Amino acid sequence: MLETLQLYLIWAIIGSCVGSFLLLLLHRNKLLETSVTKWLAVVTSIIAVAALVTRIIAVGRLPFTTGLDFGFWLCALMLIISAVITIKQKVPVVGFLIYPIAVGLAIWMTSFSMEQTAVAPALRSYWLDFHVSTAIISYTTFLFSFVFSVMILVGGKKKFKNLPETEVLNEWAYRACIIGLALLTIVIITGAVWAEYAWGSFWSWDPKETWALITWLIYAMYIHLRLRGWSETKVAWVNVIGLVAVIFTLFGVSYLLPGLHSYIQ
């Protein structure tokens, strides 16, 4: 029963995100004057949280062991943050990027079986919850840093009245990146300690480890170049490259370069 409910809630996420996106398009010329997009952002985030809670109940623990589990957490976290930005910062246009991403992620989740699976021996550790939850938060903050950078690349408030000023977007992107990079540093360090415990080596150049390090280097470069005074547009492109690295680390590696972390598929 819970397996079926999880699937229904995933499709509810898809439906609510598509509906919210279409309403954003419908009200694109008066986004700041209408409240319907704000309420839909809240409803969509509530559905994502309900799906996550259902997943937790179904597996009987905090789910951090499979790609499907990643999907539930990512959907909930990105839609909650999107709702907060929509309401508190009065930037509903963030949904133009977040909703399609959430739809794509949710459609990918439907390819999984909703049934509970046995936990791999390497994952039976007290490191699991901290290591993986930190990674999820890190990648989500990188996502929003990317979203703010895209808003810069399309011209900010100078071209679209519903967008904040370029300087504001640049600062938001930078702060999100700082948080994401700090958390990714923790992810890499805790992963190395856990790897030594589980596999007998702090670093084995496993594809997932390697690409996490590549991602770290790209975002470290972003921060370095911004501090060196590069223009908002130039550093925004570095941020875009960073999210490509995040996506490949999360998904591409699992399918194209299987290794010690292949159990998350």
Side-chain angles (χ1 to χ4, degrees):
M1 178 180 177
L2 287 176
E3 287 78 9
T4 302
L5 180 58
Q6 289 175 70
L7 187 59
Y8 285 159
L9 285 170
I10 291 173
W11 280 108
I13 292 172
I14 295 171
S16 61
C17 285
V18 170
S20 298
F21 183 83
L22 292 176
L23 278 172
L24 282 177
L25 284 177
L26 183 64
H27 296 280
R28 62 186 180 275
N29 294 323
K30 50 180 180 178
L31 285 177
L32 299 180
E33 289 77 32
T34 182
S35 61
V36 64
T37 53
K38 298 177 183 178
W39 284 108
L40 277 174
V42 172
V43 170
T44 302
S45 63
I46 290 174
I47 293 173
V49 171
L52 175 59
V53 170
T54 303
R55 180 64 178 175
I56 293 172
I57 295 172
V59 302
R61 53 178 166 74
L62 291 178
F64 287 122
T65 59
T66 67
L68 178 62
D69 296 336
F70 267 68
F72 278 108
W73 286 104
L74 288 171
C75 273
L77 193 54
M78 75 168 69
L79 290 172
I80 289 171
I81 295 174
S82 179
V84 170
I85 293 173
T86 296
I87 297 171
K88 186 174 181 181
Q89 299 297 334
K90 298 180 180 179
V91 187
V93 71
V94 69
F96 279 119
L97 289 171
I98 293 300
Y99 292 141
I101 292 172
V103 168
L105 179 60
I107 290 175
W108 173 73
M109 290 166 63
T110 62
S111 67
F112 286 83
S113 169
M114 300 295 140
E115 295 181 2
Q116 180 182 356
T117 57
V119 178
L123 299 179
R124 296 168 188 166
S125 168
Y126 55 83
W127 287 102
L128 174 66
D129 291 356
F130 182 73
H131 176 72
V132 179
S133 62
T134 305
I136 291 169
I137 299 171
S138 172
Y139 291 147
T140 305
T141 56
F142 284 143
L143 169 63
F144 280 92
S145 183
F146 159 82
V147 168
F148 300 139
S149 287
V150 170
M151 292 180 184
I152 292 172
L153 293 173
V154 299
K157 197 175 185 65
K158 291 180 180 179
K159 289 191 175 181
F160 299 94
K161 65 178 182 179
N162 292 315
L163 291 178
E165 297 288 349
T166 300
E167 294 77 12
V168 174
L169 292 169
N170 193 37
E171 185 64 22
W172 287 356
Y174 174 67
R175 291 182 182 182
C177 186
I178 287 287
I179 295 171
L181 188 63
L183 292 173
L184 184 57
T185 302
I186 295 173
V187 170
I188 292 174
I189 292 173
T190 57
V193 174
W194 187 8
E196 201 282 331
Y197 168 78
W199 300 319
S201 174
F202 285 105
W203 194 269
S204 59
W205 294 104
D206 175 74
K208 188 74 73 173
E209 295 173 345
T210 303
W211 274 92
L213 178 59
I214 291 172
T215 301
W216 190 95
L217 291 171
I218 292 172
Y219 282 106
M221 181 184 298
Y222 166 84
I223 292 173
H224 172 72
L225 294 175
R226 188 184 184 281
L227 293 176
R228 285 291 300 272
W230 275 36
S231 69
E232 293 95 340
T233 302
K234 288 182 179 179
V235 293
W237 280 114
V238 177
N239 211 350
V240 171
I241 295 172
L243 190 77
V244 172
V246 166
I247 293 172
F248 190 79
T249 301
L250 270 175
F251 303 105
V253 170
S254 298
Y255 291 102
L256 301 177
L257 302 171
L260 294 172
H261 289 78
S262 59
Y263 47 74
I264 73 162
Q265 294 183 18

